[in-house]
């Protein structure tokens, strides 16, 4: 969901002219409220704004896909019974979940800070005024709903990674108790048998 919101935010905020910037779009009958020099100005502003936001989508997609693939790998590796898991796997899983949660926390802050800084540029302000002249007030310099949705889903992932840390540590304690009980049982079975002579 985080990945989908990041990609959706990029295309939604690309501008009204993005669909026909190449002369195609939805076809030659695609309606545009802009024409002439104003249309050219909108295209330039949309392109400049899209370039400003490009690092957000590239970094967001890379982080989301990277952590997603690593998380799936960890889940597949840990999908075993406790007695079959390596002794150090659960602490490693807990450490990974903790680092992933911290990484998403930092990523949320960086993403929102960068988005707000981009929205505060002269390019965004000029673009907002040009669109507003045609009644397109939805294309403004406020934080986009899709950006907020991406941050919200990322916060949910932080909570899920935090729960994963707790579950991994609890499973590790259960694994240790199981191993200790097995070791005690083994020691009991290996204890030497004493032969009593019958004399006190």
């Amino acid at each position: 969901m985080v990945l989908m919101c990041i990609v959706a935010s990029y295309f939604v905020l690309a501008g009204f002219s993005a669909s026909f910037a190449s002369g195609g779009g939805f076809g030659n009958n695609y309606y545009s409220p802009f024409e002439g020099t104003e249309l050219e100005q909108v295209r330039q502003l949309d392109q400049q704004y899209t370039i400003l936001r490009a690092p957000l989508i590239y970094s967001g997609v890379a982080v989301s896909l990277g952590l997603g693939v690593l998380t799936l790998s960890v889940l597949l590796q840990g999908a075993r019974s406790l007695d079959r898991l390596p002794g150090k796997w659960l602490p490693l899983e807990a450490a990974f979940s903790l680092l992933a949660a911290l990484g998403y926390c930092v990523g949320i802050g960086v993403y929102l800070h960068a988005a707000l800084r981009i929205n505060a540029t002269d390019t965004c302000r000029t673009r907002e005024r040009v669109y507003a002249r045609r009644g397109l007030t939805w294309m403004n310099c406020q934080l986009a709903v899709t950006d907020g949705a991406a941050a919200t889903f990322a916060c949910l992932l932080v909570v899920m990674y935090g729960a994963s840390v707790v579950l991994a540590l609890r499973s590790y304690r259960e694994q240790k108790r199981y191993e200790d009980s097995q070791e005690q049982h083994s020691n009991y079975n290996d204890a030497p048998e004493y032969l009593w002579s019958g004399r006190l």
Side-chain angles (χ1 to χ4, degrees), residues 3-189:
L3 179 62
M4 291 175 60
C5 289
I6 291 175
V7 175
S9 180
Y10 178 80
F11 286 105
V12 168
L13 298 176
F16 188 81
S17 63
S19 58
F20 54 87
S22 60
F26 294 100
N28 295 329
N29 295 326
Y30 187 79
Y31 171 74
S32 170
F34 306 104
E35 55 185 21
T37 57
E38 190 177 41
L39 175 59
E40 185 61 31
Q41 181 185 17
V42 169
R43 287 178 174 176
Q44 292 178 0
L45 290 172
D46 286 344
Q47 184 179 14
Q48 293 172 9
Y49 186 77
T50 302
I51 292 174
L52 289 175
R53 286 189 62 93
L56 285 181
I57 185 173
Y58 292 139
S59 58
V61 168
V63 171
S64 299
L65 284 179
L67 283 178
V69 171
L70 289 175
T71 301
L72 287 177
S73 301
V74 171
L75 290 176
L76 291 176
Q77 179 67 24
R80 305 178 184 177
S81 58
L82 291 179
D83 57 334
R84 294 184 179 181
L85 283 176
K88 296 182 179 180
W89 175 254
L90 289 173
L92 289 175
E93 183 177 341
F96 168 78
S97 298
L98 180 60
L99 291 176
L102 293 176
Y104 263 113
C105 287
V106 174
I108 292 170
V110 172
Y111 183 88
L112 293 179
H113 177 71
L116 291 174
R117 288 195 62 180
I118 292 172
N119 289 350
T121 59
D122 293 336
T123 299
C124 184
R125 298 298 182 188
T126 304
R127 184 170 175 257
E128 180 182 25
R129 288 193 297 269
V130 173
Y131 274 91
R133 286 202 298 262
R134 295 293 180 175
L136 304 174
T137 55
W138 54 271
M139 188 65 72
N140 52 52
C141 293
Q142 298 177 0
L143 187 66
V145 175
T146 47
D147 287 336
T152 301
F153 284 115
C155 289
L156 292 177
L157 282 177
V158 171
V159 174
M160 293 176 65
Y161 278 118
S164 178
V165 172
V166 175
L167 292 176
L169 293 178
R170 288 181 59 182
S171 298
Y172 178 68
R173 287 197 295 267
E174 292 178 5
Q175 185 186 47
K176 292 297 291 183
R177 284 198 296 266
Y178 175 78
E179 291 178 353
D180 292 341
S181 64
Q182 290 293 108
E183 184 177 356
Q184 291 176 2
H185 183 70
S186 177
N187 292 337
Y188 177 78
N189 291 334

